Amino acid sequence: MKIIYSLFLFLSINLFSQEIYDLEYYFGEDYKNFNENIPKPSDFLLNGKEVGSSHVSHDRLIQYMYALANASKRIDIENRGFSYEGRPLVLLTITSEKNHDKLLKFKRSHIDYLDGKSDNKSSNFYSRPVVIYQGYSIHGNEPSGSNAAMLYAYYLASSNSDDVKNQLNNSIILLDPSLNPDGLQRFANWVNTNKSQNLNSDSNDREFNEHWPRGRTNHYWFDMNRDWLPAQLPESKVRIKTFQDWYPNVLTDHHEMGTNSTFFYQPGIPSRVNPLTPKKNQELTAKIGKYHESILSENGSFFYSEEDYDDFYYGKGSTYPDINGGIGILFEQGSSRGHLQESINGNISFPFTIKNQLLTSISTLEASVDLKKELFDYQREFFNSKKHNKNEFLIVGDQHDRSKLYHFHEILKTHNITTKKLDEDKIVNGIKFKKNNSFLIPKDQRNSRLLSAMINNQTSFKDSLFYDVSAWSFLHSFNLEHTFIKSNEKFNEFNFSKPVGSIISKSDYAYVFHWNDYYSPKALYKLLSHGLNIKVSTDKFTIENNNFGYGSILVPVSNQNKSINEINNIIEEISNETGVDFYGFNTSKTNGIDLGSNDFKKINLPKIGLIVGDGVSSYDAGEIWHLMDTRYEIPITKLKYNSLAKIDLSKYNTLIFVNGSYGNKNTIEKLKNWVKNGGNLIGFRNATKWLDSNDFIKLDFIENTSVPKDVKFIDKNKFYGAQLTSGAIFNVKLDLSHPVNYGYYKEDLSIFRNTNIYLKNDKLSFNNPIKYSKENSLVSGYISKLNYKSILNSRPFVSSRLNKGRVNVFTDNTNFRAFWYGTNKLMINTIFFGKLM
Ligand SMILES: [Zn+2]
């Protein structure tokens, strides 16, 4: 037995010729004093070896965390929900055993202190535990965080040192071991299946080069670390709830960056901090940074700070806390991606990356406990320094779209922002607010600063470089009517339940519904998929005192392949489910086009293909997949560009090409024939250039190049960076009679763009149904002067015929990150009504 064992050991050292990564590697001698009754991570890893020898799958990670919570009285575990793929979204609450009995009390007093209900003179103010939220690997293919989370939780459960005991007495740690379970699982599977027994560090190896769409994103290919503010994804919703339940003093977000980089911790670039963030926030971030500095230096790890990343967009994990009275900290570890990879700093091993994440988890805890008093004072000041007038309110509404308004309200609720009920219709500053389609948001409330950050418009900046978008106002992404109001009235709390539609008046002749509601496309698709003959109005009409706008949908009850009863049942079900109201009429006669008019056009059932795969922006494609699947419930087939040559395109009447690079001459000819035979092709962002250069459509681009004058070599990147339009909001004017704009009732619309592609306006005015405003087009965000000049003469949408088919292009992103509800209808209109354009 002994011989076999030593032989095995001999072989393993020679075969794998790698360092031994055991608990001593991670914890030094300390691990010898750990509580032996606590299970080790290695007991739960597939190969029985220590963390870092393989990539933990989410399943195993969860198994281990439950086992830890079982074995340790310091740890509670709860499941807060499920990812899209059904993985649990767990949270560990870690503190000393005696604190666990008082958790609810601590939570309550923590909130009372925020609200100024108890004063800071009482001894309890400083003696309570500091609250720390530590989250890992929100990008699934940045796995050192989640792997380190196992070691960190193990350390907190098992260490007997006086320091750790003191830290546990003085802190409540909310440990979120995997912020993106589906991404982590996808990546772990990739990297473990491509690992060689003899670790191969050649960066060309398949191990380091993931398949599209890679593990960074969640199930629908969203960047989860942009969703802290929009909160549209289940993973984000639960963590914002945890955040808003606790108001952590410190929140950390563990990431990875390029393999040739070392380690980064915040503060980020000072000139790029959002001006709404207090100065003291960055000072405290730097103070905490001292602890990372010393622990990394002691362990021989190189690092940098203040030279990269920023705290501007509040939808990131390291920035969201900054507008909520806490300190958000970003960590970025140079990635080994796989198990061992060559880099300019020598071979970088997975365990090394894990160790740095573990060390900075520990230094965060040390710093937070040491700086507890300052963190409490800062938080108290944050919530109590700005006093608002109790009579000031933001009033919001949409006259025709209750569903969209409901979703906006949902976001406010997620962020703990309170709302009030409007008891009667009001006209404020010339804007009409209907009591059932509006509500009030008091400015005087705990999260008033967060509210400001969600609706703020900014058009001048200290720095013209942005790590992410420069604008995100929710009032504009939802295209809501809004203004401020002062009132002494006492308004009641507002509760918004999901709108349910109804049959307003029953008919066995015909139904009509408005196209304004957010879910009207869902209703239309369901009707079409029942095989019903449906038409759309290309003009306005009034019937029995009901005004119907362009794009209203007509459902004849007679002359269908179903009985009157069946149709009424279908409509009742659909209206309940979608929130859309159906109006029944017993005559074709209207004031305007009659229901039997030729100006009602037949609509076909869309059969949609979405082009995905190598070269395609997975974000842009994922946004459409998510929109159609989870909201409209319209099936789309995800087609790989490379397989288009082999498949029968006649199965589809609509194909969508998002931002991407597409090639292959034979496929292009096949696609063009498909359009010529009646296909409806929709292109976004840089797909417009590809469609133009391959003669699908003839476009006139405004080219502008900025030539550097007096720009020094060192400022080269800054110069080019300042020409980017990384995400800003613009005002456009709509021709409401054009099918692309059906369902809109105002000529003004806010639109989001993150490209520098500018399409010249056509000489024929009706070919410019959407135009950037000639003046004050910029609503919020950064655009360079030169680009701004181009935008004033351009249009974001062109529709053009190609034989029997149609090509529709958008330069802007109408589906951005699932929170641009206000422009979702533009794309859906090109799908349903493309033929009418
Ligand atoms: Zn990341």
Side-chain angles (χ1 to χ4, degrees), residues 24 122 196 199 248 346 588 639 757 767:
E24 193 172 348
S122 95
S196 302
L199 296 185
S588 283
L639 300 166
I757 299 171
N767 285 338

Side-chain angles (χ1 to χ4, degrees), residues 30-149:
D30 285 359
Y31 85 96
K32 288 179 181 157
N33 298 319
F34 286 0
N35 180 348
E36 284 184 1
N37 298 321
I38 302 295
K40 297 183 182 69
S42 54
D43 302 339
F44 285 79
L45 291 174
L46 271 181
N47 55 9
K49 290 188 196 157
E50 209 34 83
V51 171
S53 59
S54 67
H55 283 247
V56 73
S57 64
H58 189 261
D59 321 61
R60 294 270 169 168
L61 176 77
I62 294 302
Q63 275 183 27
Y64 177 61
M65 292 306 185
Y66 273 96
L68 262 187
N70 240 334
S72 169
K73 295 215 161 97
R74 296 173 178 172
I75 302 184
D76 271 354
I77 191 165
E78 62 180 303
N79 179 24
R80 300 166 297 171
F82 295 94
S83 70
Y84 280 116
E85 291 173 21
R87 298 197 166 81
L89 302 165
V90 303
L91 181 79
L92 283 71
T93 305
I94 309 179
T95 186
S96 66
E97 195 181 332
K98 70 172 175 37
N99 282 350
H100 266 292
D101 300 333
K102 290 183 276 181
L103 270 186
L104 267 180
K105 201 189 115 208
F106 284 136
K107 191 190 270 185
R108 221 172 297 130
S109 62
H110 190 67
I111 302 290
D112 282 351
Y113 286 125
L114 301 186
D115 290 345
K117 280 185 194 152
S118 322
D119 67 65
N120 57 347
K121 305 217 168 47
S122 95
S123 59
N124 291 335
F125 184 79
Y126 296 116
S127 66
R128 70 201 150 111
V130 66
V131 182
I132 317 168
Y133 193 127
Q134 295 180 283
Y136 298 87
S137 299
I138 197 162
H139 296 139
N141 61 0
E142 300 173 7
S144 53
S146 287
N147 283 269

Side-chain angles (χ1 to χ4, degrees), residues 283-319:
E283 287 169 27
L284 279 164
T285 309
K287 269 195 168 172
I288 296 170
K290 288 276 174 210
Y291 288 76
H292 313 316
E293 177 190 326
S294 85
I295 206 165
L296 291 168
S297 305
E298 272 168 34
N299 280 276
S301 287
F302 282 78
F303 58 85
Y304 69 106
S305 185
E306 296 188 329
E307 296 163 43
D308 216 342
Y309 303 99
D310 68 23
D311 271 329
F312 189 78
Y313 170 50
Y314 287 115
K316 295 185 295 170
S318 55
T319 321

Side-chain angles (χ1 to χ4, degrees), residues 626-667:
H626 173 265
L627 173 69
M628 304 300 267
D629 195 24
T630 70
R631 296 202 188 138
Y632 294 148
E633 296 180 18
I634 299 176
I636 51 165
T637 304
K638 303 186 291 300
L639 300 166
K640 284 206 279 185
Y641 184 77
N642 291 338
S643 54
L644 291 184
K646 289 173 278 180
I647 59 179
D648 176 11
L649 289 182
S650 69
K651 280 175 87 174
Y652 313 98
N653 54 25
T654 306
L655 291 177
I656 306 175
F657 288 74
V658 298
N659 207 48
S661 58
Y662 306 96
N664 193 340
K665 275 277 164 230
N666 294 335
T667 306

Side-chain angles (χ1 to χ4, degrees), residues 596-611:
S597 160
N598 287 334
D599 287 335
F600 278 90
K601 304 287 183 191
K602 186 175 157 50
I603 309 166
N604 293 323
L605 180 75
K607 293 169 195 157
I608 311 166
L610 171 69
I611 312 306

Side-chain angles (χ1 to χ4, degrees), residues 352-592:
F352 173 74
T353 65
I354 294 169
K355 190 174 177 183
N356 287 333
Q357 306 277 23
L358 171 66
L359 293 173
T360 45
S361 300
I362 293 171
S363 57
T364 299
L365 174 60
E366 284 172 359
S368 308
V369 169
D370 284 2
L371 301 171
K372 199 166 88 166
K373 188 171 177 298
E374 277 182 75
L375 291 164
F376 286 155
D377 283 339
Y378 169 71
Q379 193 173 41
R380 187 188 167 79
E381 171 78 9
F382 183 93
F383 285 103
N384 291 285
S385 59
K386 258 193 185 167
K387 288 280 171 244
H388 285 287
N389 189 329
K390 288 213 179 321
N391 301 330
E392 274 186 301
F393 300 85
L394 171 65
I395 179 167
V396 296
D398 187 298
Q399 287 179 38
H400 299 283
D401 190 350
R402 223 172 122 70
S403 294
K404 190 181 65 176
L405 194 66
Y406 167 77
H407 285 298
F408 174 61
H409 189 264
E410 224 182 6
I411 297 179
L412 298 175
K413 227 171 55 185
T414 305
H415 291 295
N416 223 354
I417 289 171
T418 58
T419 52
K420 302 281 177 183
K421 192 172 176 337
L422 190 68
D423 291 319
E424 52 186 11
D425 294 359
K426 258 191 192 342
I427 295 177
V428 190
N429 299 333
I431 307 170
K432 193 167 150 195
F433 292 95
K434 290 195 210 163
K435 65 176 181 182
N436 290 327
N437 279 39
S438 312
F439 60 85
L440 300 149
I441 312 171
K443 282 188 83 180
D444 180 38
Q445 59 174 305
R446 188 198 298 149
N447 284 354
S448 60
R449 287 189 173 205
L450 174 59
L451 173 66
S452 305
M454 292 175 72
I455 61 172
N456 188 42
N457 293 337
Q458 191 181 345
T459 49
S460 71
F461 299 88
K462 257 209 275 188
D463 195 318
S464 37
L465 299 193
F466 297 87
Y467 184 71
D468 197 68
V469 294
S470 62
W472 54 84
S473 167
F474 288 78
L475 296 174
H476 293 282
S477 76
F478 276 83
N479 188 33
L480 296 173
E481 306 266 26
H482 60 273
T483 188
F484 287 96
I485 173 173
K486 274 190 184 165
S487 173
N488 295 322
E489 277 175 73
K490 193 111 183 68
F491 297 106
N492 293 317
E493 290 296 314
F494 180 55
N495 291 307
F496 206 155
S497 45
K498 197 165 194 273
V500 176
S502 61
I503 294 181
I504 303 293
S505 45
K506 215 165 170 185
S507 168
D508 46 19
Y509 184 77
Y511 286 98
V512 179
F513 65 93
H514 294 288
W515 191 242
N516 306 106
D517 193 90
Y518 188 76
Y519 287 111
S520 47
K522 180 174 169 178
L524 174 58
Y525 186 84
K526 285 191 188 291
L527 290 163
L528 287 169
S529 58
H530 278 288
L532 297 177
N533 183 19
I534 315 277
K535 291 178 174 174
V536 58
S537 71
T538 58
D539 206 343
K540 300 190 224 179
F541 60 96
T542 302
I543 178 167
E544 292 171 14
N545 292 323
N546 294 291
N547 298 319
F548 288 97
Y550 302 109
S552 296
I553 305 297
L554 169 67
V555 190
V557 180
S558 44
N559 304 327
Q560 298 276 14
N561 59 2
K562 287 189 162 52
S563 73
I564 291 172
N565 247 349
E566 277 177 296
I567 292 176
N568 268 297
N569 289 341
I570 289 171
I571 288 181
E572 188 166 358
E573 199 189 306
I574 290 177
S575 71
N576 282 334
E577 204 189 318
T578 59
V580 172
D581 290 332
F582 284 73
Y583 298 79
F585 300 106
N586 295 313
T587 173
S588 283
K589 194 68 205 154
T590 81
N591 196 349

Side-chain angles (χ1 to χ4, degrees), residues 230-257:
Q232 292 302 302
L233 309 167
E235 298 90 338
S236 319
K237 283 181 185 158
V238 303
R239 76 178 124 78
I240 301 294
K241 174 151 193 340
T242 304
F243 189 100
Q244 291 292 338
D245 276 355
W246 275 107
Y247 288 91
N249 299 95
V250 175
L251 182 145
T252 53
D253 189 20
H254 291 260
H255 287 250
E256 291 183 10
M257 56 183 163

